[in-house]
Amino acid sequence: MSHHEPLPDQAERDRFQNELERNFSVIAPAGVGKTTAIVERIGHIAETDDFREHPILPKLVLVTYTKKAAAEMRDRARQKIVGTGPNTAERLAGFNSAFFGTIHSFCLELLRRWGFHLGLSPELELVEDDKTLWLEFLRDEGDILTDLPPEVQKTLSKHVNLRALSDLARHAEAGLKHTVAELGPVPKVDISALLSYEAKRKNALKSITETQARLRSWVEVIKADEGWAGIPIIDKGGKEFVALGREVFSELRDWLGEAAAMAVEALANRYRQFRIERGQVRFDDMISLAQELLTIPAACNAIRAQGYRLILDEAQDTDPVQFDVLLSVAQSTVDTKQWKESFPEAGRFCMVGDPQQSIYADRADIHTYLRVDETLRQSKGGEAAEFTVTMRCDKAVVDWVNTATPAALNGSDRQVSFVPLHERPWAGDGDVSVIRLTPEMPPNPRKSTETIRDEAKTIAEWLSHASPSDFGATDWSKVALLCPRKSQLAALAEALEHFDIPVQNHSRNDTRGDDPAIAWVTALIVIFAEPDNVFEIAGVLREIFALSDESIAQYVRKHYHAGEQHPLNLGSKISDSGPVSKALKQLDETRKAALDLPLRSALHRTIEKLQLSERIQSLPNGNIEGLESLVAEATTQEEAGSSLSEWAIVLKMRFTSNAGEANPEPGKIQLLTCQKAKGLQWGTVILPFFFSKISPPRKSYPASYTLPNGRTQIAIDKEHLITDAEDSVKQRTIHSLERLLYVAMTRSQQRLIIIDDEAYFPKGSDSFAEHLRITDSGPNRKAWESLTTFIPEEQAIISEKAAEENKPIDLPPKEAPLNLSSIEFIKRTLPSSLANHDAGHYHDRNERDRLAEPDYPEVSRGGPGGADYGNWWHDAMEVLPWEQPMAEWKAFLNERLSICPFPERGQSEIDCFIESEIAQKLSQAEVVRTEIPIVWRANESTVYDGSIDLAAMTSKGKWLLVDWKTDRVGNDPAAELLASYGPQLAAYRDAVTGIFATPEAMLYSTRTGICAVLSE
């Protein structure tokens, strides 16, 4: 069948493309080609602009969800315009004035141009990671409860974790919704009914007796009127006793929740003002400030006078405030009416979205989208359009989605309604099948983590005997495994790696700086812009040239003279034949060459002269994809007129931001969460853990809720029930998971394989299976049972019609290396690889560096939980206020028990540490530093690259190294730890010895409080 045959929904597509003086709300389900439709509309705007006195194209604003999507849309629209007729130059001039980007970048543009109406500087700086700014705010502000009356402050301080409360304020959006007048007096608590309660059952007696003892102690703390009391958690002793406990403390919890909400919102408002005064804004500030700007008549009129024509992509992911901003901007009237009163005139606002793919319930509001959709349809000049032909899914996949999904997306209880799909006329047959798994042993319903691991192992073992051709694919990268939750994905990743199956895990929490290519180029551009930034220069010498800390320190000692230029400055006149001097000279030469070139050419020259491609490929799992993306980024910055110094600032700001999507690596199975898979597609999609419970994220307390009336309420602890909010959250979560299931199933182009693991999870409660209504009593059970068992492809490979290859940007051709022909790239090794785990059953610890997998600090080999506890201990020690008295240490650590995975163990080991000999030594140290990166050259071809947990300098000038170990140990802890970790600790000691005198090095066992000292 011809690919040029008209589509069943072609009339709808033509209306959206050609009727430019209409507002459209387009429903665009999975794979229907919405990007193509938007590009066609923009192309038609360009064609008809030739006949307009006032062209539309320069006023076009295309808003989409990600920078990547905006860049793709811009590129495709430019290509469309270039091929639309004789007036290409004029059309491109108008096109270059159009806006393509995210809602945040559009709001930032509005604030830079008209923010003076709010007293804002045009030089606003985006802060993606505000941790440092928050700490500065707290340091300046002091008391976080200063906005509240003294009695309220005192009561909150006694019962609520203020550190956790301040964290809520940091992430809260400003907008005070409470007043002090709403708070009555502190409720009195009468615990007599709890103290006199008698156990109805013998097995509850112990729990009740212990709880009553805790209650008496709590009363004594309250009477003493000093110290932190909290609120007793009563969760044992039988349902009646637990319910009585909730009732007794309910009024106090509600009062504290209201007071906490007031404190959070007041602090959030002050923090927002602090940011604005410094000219530093977060993403949420951009939106709220733009909304505020549009309430000022002069600013609103000036913005509307621009005549913007808006197209909103991914409209279902837009929140209420974002809609307010965009619809207000699209108005043509010179007043400040809101869109609910006066919708933008025809042709000024279009949106394209799919409510079935609204999966971000925590940051978007699907019901606001539906209200806007309804208002647009009913407005003058408003139209609805529906694209239903998917260019992605073959016939069998479409049939399954149309059969199974309506029961989930049924339009009831505020869920969206299903929009049926139609396959394209030339679609292949496709296939939907199941793989039915049977566990070797009956699963224990109380040990779901073990069951998930067992299923993961079974799937991995099955895949280890398969090949891409079994799935009709030419390469493993055309096959994707999509998991509902990260915990399931982690188990599957571990199992695949165990069976040596090449896998690309897209759902790691990597930042841009975790990619050596991006980290290295960022550092190089920064030192080219700041040639006296010796801190960054030292890092470049360590990371790129693999020079040891020892050699750098010796070079500085030899050439440093007070009052003179630092020896590590680029351009230094020091003449030295050593490796440090040679590397500095090469960096200086590369910098001088780069300064005279446009940004793209400067980056090409740097990659070439420093052999960055070769260096990166010599690393474990090294690939140059990051370099390719940076070449594209340099081109964009060059087109925007940025200087090298300005690009350096941008690179630094984005260093800790999320790494984003990575292109598929050939030969590797693709592993993602279902959320991460949105917008992507593969020839074959496999859905594991289908009957496994999808647990909601674990809550930490205090927790913030938005009530149905828009007010904020704080739940103080897990026993504080806010029924309206919790019911609403539960319903939104279920609906989001039902829509997520639709997203997951529609990622498949030709073949969808569902893992039938009902034998592993017989109940199937709160699972994809239950949400799809295929469990025993579900209306889709018969359709589920009718699916055939997967049979490996034995004939022709299914053609991958819909795949669009990502063409990498060409890197400079390899030429003869400059000044590096004699250098061999040095192998980097983690000191943790020296650990001997045959000596006992311990946890590995990987250093937190760019080469380490993200399992820092420990990977449990003895069951779940070990890694979480190890993380908690190491993180606590990293940020402990070592300069404070020991009493402050204990108070600080006790506060962190609220986030400890095993609080009882944590409390015991805190007490043990405070009483230990090493704690006494550290309390008297002149200097304490944590997580110190080290590079130590073991021989001509190997360097050890890692980080030391803690280093302290005693009053006598001697250094002390400590490595924390949370492992289980036997009868001789010191000997066992040294047998396992002695070589690793020796590497740390030798690295420091090269710079200072030989330090004392020891392993500290948190379980026993014993230090294992490394002998000299």
Side-chain angles (χ1 to χ4, degrees):
M1 192 170 289
S2 170
H3 289 206
H4 299 291
E5 181 178 339
L7 300 173
D9 61 0
Q10 190 62 51
E12 298 282 279
R13 296 171 187 266
D14 290 343
R15 284 198 305 123
F16 177 65
Q17 174 184 333
N18 298 321
E19 297 180 16
L20 302 180
E21 300 305 321
R22 309 288 289 177
N23 289 337
F24 279 94
S25 176
V26 179
I27 303 298
V32 297
K34 67 180 177 65
T35 301
T36 298
I38 293 171
V39 167
E40 291 293 333
R41 183 177 176 91
I42 295 172
H44 191 59
I45 289 172
E47 291 175 2
T48 55
D49 264 1
D50 294 343
F51 311 101
R52 285 193 183 87
E53 181 181 356
H54 301 292
I56 294 176
L57 204 54
K59 305 297 183 183
L60 177 68
V61 174
L62 188 288
V63 174
T64 189
Y65 198 69
T66 67
K67 293 177 182 178
K68 182 177 180 180
E72 179 191 354
M73 198 86 72
R74 186 183 188 92
D75 289 345
R76 290 180 60 176
R78 184 190 291 273
Q79 292 170 11
K80 177 71 178 177
I81 288 171
V82 167
T84 55
N87 299 317
T88 297
E90 292 84 350
R91 292 172 183 174
L92 282 178
F95 179 81
N96 289 337
S97 296
F99 175 88
F100 289 76
T102 63
I103 176 66
H104 299 98
S105 56
F106 180 59
C107 288
L108 186 60
E109 183 67 21
L110 296 179
L111 294 173
R112 283 174 172 162
R113 291 187 64 184
W114 291 285
F116 63 87
H117 289 282
L118 292 172
L120 299 177
S121 164
E123 301 299 324
L124 289 175
E125 176 188 349
L126 170 62
V127 179
E128 294 191 44
D129 183 356
D130 69 336
K131 182 178 180 180
T132 301
L133 190 65
W134 171 250
L135 293 176
E136 290 177 11
F137 167 72
L138 291 180
R139 193 161 50 242
D140 288 356
E141 290 293 307
D143 186 0
I144 66 172
L145 301 179
T146 187
D147 302 278
L148 305 180
E151 184 62 26
V152 176
Q153 293 186 38
K154 181 179 178 182
T155 307
L156 270 179
S157 300
K158 183 176 289 295
H159 295 289
V160 179
N161 184 329
L162 297 186
R163 182 183 291 272
L165 209 58
S166 71
D167 285 342
L168 287 181
R170 174 188 169 190
H171 299 291
E173 295 182 6
L176 193 63
K177 299 182 182 71
H178 292 76
T179 61
V180 176
E182 294 174 5
L183 273 180
V186 181
K188 302 293 184 184
V189 178
D190 182 1
I191 65 169
S192 58
L194 290 168
L195 294 177
S196 61
Y197 187 90
E198 295 183 1
K200 303 290 193 299
R201 292 179 293 109
K202 244 184 183 180
N203 59 0
L205 179 60
K206 182 180 178 183
S207 295
I208 291 173
T209 303
E210 290 176 350
T211 299
Q212 289 171 336
R214 284 194 292 114
L215 286 169
R216 293 187 185 94
S217 299
W218 181 79
V219 170
E220 294 304 315
V221 173
I222 297 297
K223 287 180 179 178
D225 200 24
E226 58 183 34
W228 192 76
I231 299 181
I233 298 293
I234 302 175
D235 56 0
K236 294 178 182 178
K239 290 183 179 179
E240 185 179 85
F241 186 66
V242 169
L244 178 61
R246 285 198 187 121
E247 181 184 348
V248 166
F249 287 100
S250 64
E251 288 188 12
L252 178 59
R253 284 191 170 104
D254 287 344
W255 187 94
L256 289 169
E258 287 285 343
M262 291 168 52
V264 165
E265 291 170 356
L267 188 59
N269 282 334
R270 281 196 282 137
Y271 180 40
R272 178 180 187 256
Q273 189 59 37
F274 177 83
R275 297 193 298 270
I276 292 170
E277 289 172 357
R278 289 177 170 237
Q280 296 176 297
V281 293
R282 303 186 312 196
F283 286 112
D284 59 308
D285 294 326
M286 297 178 191
I287 309 298
S288 62
L289 286 170
Q291 183 187 41
E292 188 177 337
L293 180 67
L294 288 161
T295 64
I296 300 174
C300 185
N301 291 341
I303 292 169
R304 290 178 176 179
Q306 302 302 307
Y308 290 125
R309 300 288 189 109
L310 274 78
I311 301 177
L312 173 60
D313 185 26
E314 299 286 356
Q316 76 280 351
D317 294 327
T318 308
D319 71 28
V321 179
Q322 293 170 352
F323 265 125
D324 282 347
V325 169
L326 295 174
L327 288 165
S328 181
V329 166
Q331 296 273 27
S332 59
T333 54
V334 287
D335 59 39
T336 56
K337 285 185 178 179
Q338 296 300 304
W339 62 269
K340 298 164 192 172
E341 307 167 54
S342 174
F343 206 82
E345 71 178 44
R348 292 180 67 114
F349 181 82
C350 292
M351 66 180 191
V352 181
D354 180 13
Q356 302 166 116
Q357 298 188 71
S358 177
I359 59 175
Y360 304 115
D362 57 333
R363 62 188 186 214
D365 180 6
I366 185 62
H367 302 295
T368 298
Y369 162 80
L370 294 174
R371 285 196 297 272
V372 174
D373 172 71
E374 182 66 22
T375 304
L376 186 153
R377 292 169 187 242
Q378 295 178 359
S379 67
K380 185 178 179 181
E383 292 275 349
E386 203 170 83
F387 302 165
T388 60
V389 178
T390 176
M391 308 298 169
R392 176 185 299 151
C393 306
D394 279 348
K395 187 176 186 306
V397 179
V398 170
D399 289 346
W400 169 252
V401 170
N402 286 343
T403 298
T405 312
L409 306 186
N410 53 23
S412 65
D413 294 328
R414 294 171 66 84
Q415 176 59 290
V416 302
S417 297
F418 176 67
V419 178
L421 287 173
H422 298 91
E423 69 269 16
R424 60 207 182 283
W426 58 90
D429 291 335
D431 179 62
V432 178
S433 54
V434 298
I435 296 174
R436 295 185 168 88
L437 303 182
T438 303
E440 294 179 3
M441 299 287 291
N444 185 339
R446 295 186 178 182
K447 295 185 177 180
S448 60
T449 302
E450 288 185 10
T451 307
I452 287 171
R453 287 176 175 171
D454 288 344
E455 178 178 340
K457 180 182 176 182
T458 303
I459 294 170
E461 188 171 9
W462 164 64
L463 286 171
S464 70
H465 300 293
S467 66
S469 60
D470 291 336
F471 305 98
T474 56
D475 187 90
W476 274 126
S477 63
K478 310 298 182 184
V479 178
L481 286 152
L482 309 183
C483 300
R485 285 287 185 259
K486 281 189 177 181
S487 57
Q488 300 160 336
L489 181 141
L492 192 52
E494 183 180 351
L496 291 169
E497 290 168 359
H498 175 78
F499 282 94
D500 295 323
I501 300 172
V503 59
Q504 184 178 3
N505 185 348
H506 290 265
S507 294
R508 287 166 42 174
N509 292 323
D510 293 346
T511 64
R512 280 170 55 89
D514 291 324
D515 183 341
I518 291 176
W520 290 4
V521 169
T522 297
L524 287 167
I525 297 301
V526 167
I527 67 172
F528 288 175
E530 306 168 15
D532 57 350
N533 188 335
V534 296
F535 178 81
E536 286 292 347
I537 292 169
V540 166
L541 295 175
R542 295 172 76 251
E543 297 295 330
I544 300 179
F545 290 87
L547 295 173
S548 69
D549 296 326
E550 177 184 0
S551 61
I552 297 171
Q554 288 176 351
Y555 178 84
V556 172
R557 282 201 198 100
K558 180 178 178 182
H559 296 290
Y560 179 78
H561 301 287
E564 296 183 6
Q565 187 183 52
H566 196 283
L568 293 185
N569 277 15
L570 297 187
S572 171
K573 304 301 182 183
I574 295 172
S575 178
D576 188 315
S577 60
V580 175
S581 185
K582 287 181 179 179
L584 289 171
K585 182 180 179 182
Q586 188 171 16
L587 286 171
D588 190 45
E589 290 173 354
T590 306
R591 172 181 176 267
K592 288 174 180 176
L595 291 177
D596 294 330
L597 296 171
L599 288 182
R600 181 186 173 100
S601 300
L603 182 55
H604 273 307
R605 179 67 63 88
T606 301
I607 291 170
E608 173 191 335
K609 291 197 73 172
L610 299 181
Q611 289 187 286
L612 294 185
S613 298
E614 293 83 353
R615 290 180 185 275
I616 289 167
Q617 288 172 333
S618 73
L619 299 173
N621 300 316
N623 69 75
I624 59 171
E625 185 179 303
L627 287 183
E628 294 168 357
S629 69
L630 284 165
V631 171
E633 189 174 325
T635 304
T636 302
Q637 291 291 327
E638 185 179 313
E639 290 176 351
S642 298
S643 66
L644 187 138
S645 296
E646 290 168 333
W647 190 29
I649 293 171
V650 171
L651 288 170
K652 283 196 292 184
M653 286 170 51
R654 298 182 60 204
F655 189 79
T656 57
S657 63
N658 188 274
E661 297 174 11
N663 292 329
E665 295 180 21
K668 294 185 177 182
I669 290 178
Q670 304 299 291
L671 184 60
L672 304 87
T673 59
C674 297
Q675 288 92 340
K676 190 90 170 182
K678 186 173 180 289
L680 304 176
Q681 60 187 25
W682 297 269
T684 295
V685 168
I686 304 172
L687 301 181
F689 307 113
F690 214 69
F691 282 79
S692 172
K693 181 176 182 177
I694 305 174
S695 301
R698 187 176 176 181
K699 274 198 183 81
S700 57
Y701 291 92
S704 177
Y705 290 93
T706 300
L707 301 178
N709 62 7
R711 285 165 53 92
T712 299
Q713 179 61 296
I714 304 292
I716 300 304
D717 53 40
K718 68 177 185 177
E719 296 301 306
H720 188 188
L721 302 182
I722 305 174
T723 305
D724 290 347
E726 290 183 347
D727 289 346
S728 176
V729 168
K730 184 176 180 180
Q731 184 189 64
R732 288 203 310 270
T733 300
I734 291 172
H735 287 173
S736 291
L737 288 172
E738 290 168 343
R739 298 192 290 266
L740 182 65
L741 177 56
Y742 169 82
V743 168
M745 293 192 299
T746 55
R747 299 309 95 192
S748 166
Q749 294 169 291
Q750 291 95 26
R751 188 186 295 275
L752 175 65
I753 301 171
I754 302 174
I755 303 295
D756 179 358
D757 54 355
E758 188 171 12
Y760 283 81
F761 304 96
K763 291 184 178 179
S765 56
D766 298 321
S767 65
F768 267 170
E770 183 175 71
H771 295 315
L772 197 60
R773 281 53 167 188
I774 64 172
T775 50
D776 280 339
S777 58
N780 282 330
R781 183 70 181 189
K782 285 187 178 179
W784 167 250
E785 291 175 342
S786 70
L787 290 178
T788 59
T789 300
F790 167 73
I791 300 174
E793 185 76 27
E794 296 176 352
Q795 301 167 2
I797 293 175
I798 298 173
S799 65
E800 294 150 353
K801 305 180 187 70
E804 292 182 2
E805 297 296 331
N806 292 316
K807 296 181 179 179
I809 296 171
D810 292 334
L811 290 174
K814 292 183 181 179
E815 298 178 5
L818 302 176
N819 301 323
L820 285 170
S821 58
S822 64
I823 294 180
E824 294 182 3
F825 298 124
I826 299 172
K827 179 184 177 184
R828 293 168 180 267
T829 304
L830 301 178
S832 57
S833 66
L834 300 174
N836 172 25
H837 298 293
D838 292 333
H841 299 289
Y842 302 118
H843 306 309
D844 292 342
R845 174 160 184 249
N846 284 345
E847 285 72 19
R848 187 187 304 184
D849 68 357
R850 295 188 181 99
L851 301 180
E853 290 299 310
D855 54 8
Y856 166 83
E858 293 175 340
V859 177
S860 173
R861 295 178 180 269
D868 293 332
Y869 184 81
N871 278 325
W872 174 80
W873 181 272
H874 279 85
D875 288 343
M877 292 296 130
E878 182 180 355
V879 296
L880 187 73
W882 295 101
E883 73 282 0
Q884 299 293 325
M886 288 182 67
E888 295 295 327
W889 299 2
K890 187 167 185 178
F892 173 84
L893 292 171
N894 284 339
E895 279 190 15
R896 292 185 70 90
L897 285 172
S898 62
I899 57 172
C900 179
F902 301 108
E904 290 185 6
R905 177 184 170 187
Q907 183 66 72
S908 172
E909 294 187 7
I910 287 170
D911 294 341
C912 184
F913 170 68
I914 294 297
E915 298 298 324
S916 69
E917 181 182 347
I918 186 60
Q920 300 299 322
K921 282 188 177 182
L922 293 175
S923 70
Q924 299 168 21
E926 295 286 329
V927 177
V928 177
R929 295 288 183 266
T930 58
E931 291 302 323
I932 306 115
I934 59 104
V935 175
W936 174 59
R937 188 161 187 166
N939 51 51
E940 289 302 311
S941 61
T942 303
V943 294
Y944 289 113
D945 187 349
S947 59
I948 299 170
D949 285 351
L950 182 144
M953 187 176 73
T954 67
S955 57
K956 297 180 180 180
K958 185 175 178 65
W959 282 92
L960 174 68
L961 307 184
V962 182
D963 203 40
W964 311 113
K965 296 300 174 189
T966 58
D967 309 49
R968 291 184 300 277
V969 288
N971 296 329
D972 192 351
E976 292 173 12
L977 289 173
L978 287 172
S980 286
Y981 298 110
Q984 176 183 347
L985 189 61
Y988 296 146
R989 183 186 63 186
D990 293 345
V992 173
T993 301
I995 304 172
F996 305 104
T998 302
E1000 183 180 12
M1002 61 184 66
L1003 303 162
Y1004 175 79
S1005 168
T1006 64
R1007 289 179 179 266
T1008 65
I1010 291 174
C1011 280
V1013 180
L1014 187 67
S1015 63
E1016 297 186 17

